[in-house]
């Protein structure tokens, strides 16, 4: 099914009108209608919100995420290596160029790609995908970020603050993953820092079905 058919199916399964879905996504009802009729495709942030809302993997809505809001032109972006969506993984070592849609590259000209290893974020970003990371220092609760530990390991998680504590939240079909909470002292001791925010992702073109 198309992206629009998937959205319509999930909306009707949850007995939700276009107006109700639009209100929860903070968009116009006409935008939902345009998605469902194939006149437009949602951006990744809205697909992610719908996946969380309906409790399904993102692929149940988007299919191949590389088709979302892309065009035929492309640019090369550096793929730095693999980031863990599980336990922290050794820092990135490899570098190669990967083509991504030109409009995406132009939105975040300083961004780089990482391959997602592990399944702790598979409700948002499927394992094996390439995720685009925008290096920045300003973050908000609920951002998906790459977090560095001791300059040697890195992991991909959703970030929250609980008072002065830092919370790294997995979002996975695998219930073995649990949130990790770090006090300010633990953040300092482990030299925990945020390297960047996940802004887009695509299917790994080398991944076989």
């Amino acid at each position: 099914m198309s992206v629009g058919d998937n959205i319509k199916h999930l909306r009707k399964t949850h007995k939700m009108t276009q107006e109700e879905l639009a209100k929860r996504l903070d968009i116009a009802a006409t935008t939902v209608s345009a998605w469902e009729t194939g006149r437009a495709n949602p951006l990744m942030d809205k697909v992610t919100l719908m996946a969380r809302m309906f409790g399904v993997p993102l692929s149940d809505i988007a299919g191949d995420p590389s088709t979302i809001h892309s065009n035929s032109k492309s640019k090369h972006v550096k793929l730095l290596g693999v980031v863990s969506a599980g336990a922290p993984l050794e820092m990135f070592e490899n570098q190669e160029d990967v083509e991504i849609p030109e409009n995406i590259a132009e939105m975040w000209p300083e961004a780089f790609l990482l391959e997602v290893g592990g399944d702790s974020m598979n409700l948002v970003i499927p394992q094996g995908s390439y995720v685009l990371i925008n290096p920045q220092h300003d973050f908000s609760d609920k951002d998906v970020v790459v977090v560095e530990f001791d300059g040697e390991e890195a992991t991909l998680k959703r970030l929250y603050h609980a008072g002065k504590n830092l919370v790294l939240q997995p979002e996975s079909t695998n219930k073995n993953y649990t949130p990790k909470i770090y006090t300010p002292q633990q953040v300092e001791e482990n030299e925990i820092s945020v390297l960047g925010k996940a802004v887009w992702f695509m299917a790994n073109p080398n991944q076989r079905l």
Side-chain angles (χ1 to χ4, degrees):
M1 292 194 296
S2 68
V3 174
D5 289 336
N6 291 336
I7 293 171
K8 183 187 295 185
H9 171 73
L10 287 167
R11 179 176 60 76
K12 289 187 174 180
T13 298
H14 288 75
K15 298 180 180 180
M16 188 180 298
T17 66
Q18 288 185 345
E19 289 75 14
E20 289 169 336
L21 178 58
K23 184 176 181 180
R24 294 186 66 173
L25 296 175
D26 194 25
I27 58 175
T30 53
T31 300
V32 176
S33 176
W35 294 345
E36 294 186 356
T37 57
R39 290 180 284 116
N41 277 328
L43 293 171
M44 192 194 80
D45 62 337
K46 299 304 182 187
V47 175
T48 300
L49 284 173
M50 285 186 284
R52 294 173 61 199
M53 184 187 307
F54 295 129
V56 299
L58 194 145
S59 57
D60 281 8
I61 298 174
D64 178 358
S66 64
T67 64
I68 302 174
H69 196 63
S70 65
N71 57 25
S72 59
K73 296 181 179 180
S74 63
K75 281 192 173 183
H76 286 89
V77 174
K78 287 292 183 185
L79 173 67
L80 298 189
V82 180
V83 64
S84 171
L89 191 70
E90 289 184 5
M91 287 290 286
F92 335 118
E93 295 180 354
N94 302 318
Q95 288 197 20
E96 59 180 280
D97 285 342
V98 173
E99 288 188 4
I100 71 170
E102 183 179 52
N103 61 325
I104 299 297
E106 289 177 347
M107 284 185 200
W108 295 284
E110 304 300 321
F112 56 88
L113 288 169
L114 294 171
E115 182 179 348
V116 177
D119 61 354
S120 74
M121 292 298 292
N122 67 1
L123 283 174
V124 182
I125 303 174
Q127 183 175 355
S129 299
Y130 287 169
V131 59
L132 191 67
I133 304 298
N134 190 52
Q136 58 189 74
H137 300 290
D138 55 321
F139 302 97
S140 303
D141 279 357
K142 301 184 181 181
D143 284 346
V144 176
V145 298
V146 175
V147 179
E148 175 187 29
F149 294 81
D150 296 322
E152 297 181 352
E153 298 179 327
T155 188
L156 184 73
K157 294 290 185 292
R158 194 174 294 280
L159 178 147
Y160 292 92
H161 289 91
K164 295 182 178 181
N165 295 336
L166 177 70
V167 181
L168 299 181
Q169 173 77 48
E171 293 188 10
S172 176
T173 54
N174 183 344
K175 301 306 180 184
N176 290 324
Y177 293 111
T178 57
K180 302 296 184 183
I181 302 174
Y182 299 91
T183 65
Q185 181 180 352
Q186 290 172 319
V187 169
E188 184 176 355
E189 289 175 350
N190 291 280
E191 297 183 23
I192 298 173
S193 60
V194 180
L195 298 182
K197 174 182 174 180
V199 293
W200 181 83
F201 73 94
M202 61 180 279
N204 183 337
N206 299 316
Q207 199 170 41
R208 295 184 178 182
L209 297 177

